[in-house]
Amino acid sequence: MPRPILVVDDSDSVRRLISSTLRLAGYDTVEAPDGQAALGLARSAVPRAVITDQNMPNLDGIGFIRAFRKMPGSAGVPVIFLSTENAAALKQTAREAGAIGWMTKPFDDKKLLSVVKKVLG
């Protein structure tokens, strides 16, 4: 069974939209409503890739990425940062934390799939 893509966002509708788009393209997904829950899922099974929002309760996207990157097996896992914010400083902070891709909300399904395909090779 292929490892799923971990979708992390506090908005149920955004999580469902991302997961639905990915599933229709043949990817398996698992969802978490915040960074803390996502860490728990990632500890039980390292995901194939991660798509994470920034602004979430309990643990935001940057905090999640930093904690995730400290976990064994996370080094080669691509992390795509998804946010309504587009500030250069936040992009730089996300890169420094370990994100390799960036998408701004709202997003286009085709763009999402293009970015996922690119980071997964």
Side-chain angles (χ1 to χ4, degrees):
M1 176 111 158
R3 296 180 312 180
I5 295 173
L6 176 56
V7 179
V8 189
D9 199 300
D10 59 325
S11 167
D12 289 337
S13 60
V14 172
R15 277 195 323 272
R16 283 194 306 263
L17 177 62
I18 294 169
S19 289
S20 175
T21 299
L22 293 173
R23 287 181 184 139
L24 286 172
Y27 297 101
D28 291 322
T29 64
V30 64
E31 301 176 18
D34 60 53
Q36 199 64 44
L39 283 176
L41 290 171
R43 282 187 189 104
S44 60
V46 177
R48 180 177 182 188
V50 176
I51 299 172
T52 185
D53 185 23
Q54 166 56 12
N55 297 315
M56 300 178 287
N58 301 318
L59 184 62
D60 67 15
I62 297 293
F64 164 75
I65 296 169
R66 288 180 177 144
F68 177 69
R69 288 296 183 211
K70 292 178 183 176
M71 293 174 49
S74 70
V77 177
V79 175
I80 300 165
F81 198 77
L82 181 65
S83 181
T84 55
E85 300 177 47
N86 201 16
L90 183 58
K91 286 182 182 182
Q92 182 61 33
T93 302
R95 276 190 216 101
E96 290 169 358
I100 65 164
W102 181 283
M103 289 188 60
T104 304
K105 293 180 190 176
F107 60 88
D108 174 89
D109 291 356
K110 290 178 185 173
K111 170 80 172 172
L112 173 68
L113 291 173
S114 173
V115 170
V116 168
K117 287 176 185 176
K118 182 177 179 180
V119 301
L120 290 177

